[in-house]
Amino acid sequence: MQTLNLDLGDRSYPIYIGQGLLQLPELLTVHVQGKSCVTVSNETIAPLYLDSINTALKAYKQSAVILPDGEAYKNLDTLNQIYTHLLEAKADRKTTLIALGGGVVGDMTGFAAASYQRGVNFIQVPTTLLAMVDSSVGGKTGVNHALGKNMIGAFHQPQAVIIDTNTLSTLADRELSAGIAEVIKYGLIRDLEFLAWLDENMDALLARQPEALSYAIYRSCQHKAEVVASDERESGQRALLNLGHTFGHAIEAAMGYGQWLHGEAVATGMVMAAELSAQMGWLAQADVVYIRQLLERAHLPVDPPTTMTGDDFMRYMSVDKKVLDGSLRLILMKSLGEAIVTADFDADALKRVLRREVKG
Ligand code: NAD
Ligand code: GLY
């Protein structure tokens, strides 16, 4: 097992990474302060892994709430199901919530934990690659609104993140690829050496070789933990973690949540960000081609949906959380391995990218 620490003073927490960690009850129990726990999962994941959590927590008063599966259910109605369960189970302020699942379950459980009785503890047990490398770490929680992705939420850090890489054995190939998009993101924004490693090891990752997956998860969590420790509330460099997300969130919302997976939308969004960066003269055309090809090798989409117009993009992008005082800020690349957040981009170049008038 490898352990990383997310350093946030008295709210610091460990990130455990290893095979078979769900079979080590003390990793969970050491982070449970009260006498009761409520596990939140969904109808796909619970039959696979809820027993392990129940066994680990057998000394506690515990129950589970099983949500419908899918990004389309990441909303206030589903969140209300969690609150109802917590009230019916008489959960109190010392109850610990366990998020067992991917980013959808993790984000909703985290928001329920942030808001139930003004805040209770929770532990992240991510079961998708995307949740392991990104969403379970850093304390961003929330739900979608029909008019915008992740628009309702809170910052609320977990007590621990427990990553059992064995759970990836049941994950669908398409979901694995979606997770790889967020892994590639770390290389693009801050680690050229890791990008080269990913280029060399893409086939091993797709074949789920344990050493390759384990290194990719460890390195990604290391990056995430460093960035969050330096800028928990996203007043500066944490925004760089959103490379491709402004374009990607627009695709997710416009197409209907769940049609494009989050990681797929981010992959296409990163290509669009690269195209705009090339239009600004920062990236070479060859870099854009390199990024497209790496994402394509990970079986990810690299072109926006043909049904989306430039106006569709602008409508959704105008409610992005990076809009400040009415002006849109984007994460762009100064070079491979170096990103910036800027409102200072050529608006005509952005329109050309959104209308697909440029191609890397
Ligand atoms: P997801 O939670 O929908 O999980 C993907 C699918 O895999 C679901 O059908 C799920 O039931 C299934 N699944 C999960 N684990 C499985 C397993 N081990 N075996 C078999 N099936 C399994 O999607 P995701 O990609 O994990 O997360 C995407 C969400 O995360 C989006 O809502 C996105 O906004 C959010 N996100 C949040 C942050 C953050 O910082 N909070 C960062 C990135 C993404
Ligand atoms: N996924 C972006 C962030 O956590 O800031």
Side-chain angles (χ1 to χ4, degrees):
M1 180 176 83
Q2 293 175 296
T3 306
L4 288 163
N5 190 49
L6 206 168
D7 193 0
L8 287 169
D10 59 3
R11 289 175 299 109
S12 298
Y13 55 91
I15 303 162
Y16 307 111
I17 304 165
Q19 294 182 270
L21 300 196
L22 286 183
Q23 267 59 60
L24 301 178
E26 62 279 8
L27 287 183
L28 258 182
T29 54
V30 76
H31 298 288
V32 175
Q33 280 162 16
K35 292 185 177 139
S36 65
C37 298
V38 173
T39 301
V40 182
S41 193
N42 75 23
E43 60 206 8
T44 305
I45 303 150
L48 297 168
Y49 302 111
L50 183 59
D51 273 354
S52 306
I53 301 287
N54 289 343
T55 306
L57 296 175
K58 61 179 184 293
Y60 297 82
K61 179 184 169 218
Q62 55 164 319
S63 61
V65 49
I66 310 301
L67 305 175
D69 183 3
E71 184 76 34
Y73 296 99
K74 186 180 164 185
N75 56 34
L76 288 170
D77 286 342
T78 313
L79 188 70
N80 204 33
Q81 289 182 33
I82 306 179
Y83 296 136
T84 302
H85 178 93
L86 292 173
L87 286 162
E88 285 174 353
K90 305 221 176 328
D92 62 24
R93 295 181 101 172
K94 289 186 92 182
T95 297
T96 297
L97 307 195
I98 315 289
L100 174 68
V104 169
V105 165
D107 281 11
M108 281 198 290
T109 309
F111 190 38
S115 48
Y116 183 70
Q117 299 203 9
R118 301 202 182 88
V120 296
N121 286 350
F122 82 114
I123 296 170
Q124 288 274 16
V125 185
T127 61
T128 62
L129 181 62
L130 186 140
M132 292 175 185
V133 300
D134 193 355
S135 63
S136 66
V137 175
K140 278 191 183 175
T141 74
V143 295
N144 301 327
H145 188 283
L147 297 182
K149 169 92 180 149
N150 291 338
M151 277 294 150
I152 301 154
F155 286 98
H156 188 59
Q157 300 293 343
Q159 266 47 55
V161 181
I162 301 172
I163 299 176
D164 183 344
T165 54
N166 283 354
T167 59
L168 294 177
S169 64
T170 52
L171 193 67
D173 288 342
R174 187 177 167 201
E175 300 290 350
L176 186 80
S177 290
I180 293 175
E182 300 278 14
V183 176
I184 291 173
K185 175 189 77 180
Y186 293 110
L188 291 177
I189 62 173
R190 69 198 308 265
D191 191 347
L192 202 48
E193 217 174 283
F194 186 40
L195 198 60
W197 181 90
L198 287 168
D199 198 10
E200 266 172 42
N201 290 276
M202 187 54 71
D203 294 341
L205 285 174
L206 291 168
R208 306 181 193 221
Q209 281 181 14
E211 305 75 33
L213 279 176
S214 171
Y215 178 70
I217 294 167
Y218 181 82
R219 192 78 190 112
S220 299
C221 286
Q222 221 173 16
H223 280 299
K224 180 98 194 230
E226 265 177 38
V227 171
V228 173
S230 70
D231 179 24
E232 183 185 5
R233 297 269 167 156
E234 198 169 304
S235 46
Q237 68 149 326
R238 184 166 181 171
L240 302 182
L241 296 175
N242 291 312
L243 175 69
H245 285 55
T246 303
F247 301 101
H249 285 168
I251 295 173
E252 284 185 84
M255 298 306 287
Y257 296 117
Q259 295 304 306
W260 278 54
L261 301 183
H262 177 71
E264 294 173 341
V266 165
T268 294
M270 291 194 295
V271 172
M272 296 174 86
E275 285 171 348
L276 181 52
S277 306
Q279 292 285 308
M280 297 297 293
W282 298 334
L283 277 194
Q285 212 49 45
D287 295 331
V288 183
V289 172
Y290 173 83
I291 294 169
R292 287 180 83 93
Q293 287 177 347
L294 185 59
L295 292 164
E296 278 178 326
R297 282 180 56 213
H299 306 147
L300 287 158
V302 290
D303 290 306
T306 47
T307 49
M308 267 184 88
T309 64
D311 285 346
D312 291 334
F313 268 104
M314 279 317 292
R315 192 165 53 254
Y316 285 101
M317 287 166 69
S318 67
V319 292
D320 187 83
K321 288 190 292 310
K322 284 178 296 304
V323 171
L324 281 187
D325 291 335
S327 93
L328 177 64
R329 298 177 312 141
L330 289 171
I331 315 306
L332 298 177
M333 275 170 274
K334 275 284 185 185
S335 62
L336 275 186
E338 186 196 359
I340 53 158
V341 52
T342 180
D344 200 13
F345 51 82
D346 179 349
D348 289 333
L350 174 62
K351 281 186 195 140
R352 286 196 293 279
V353 169
L354 297 182
R355 291 179 188 147
R356 268 148 286 166
E357 291 165 3
V358 297
K359 190 107 180 166

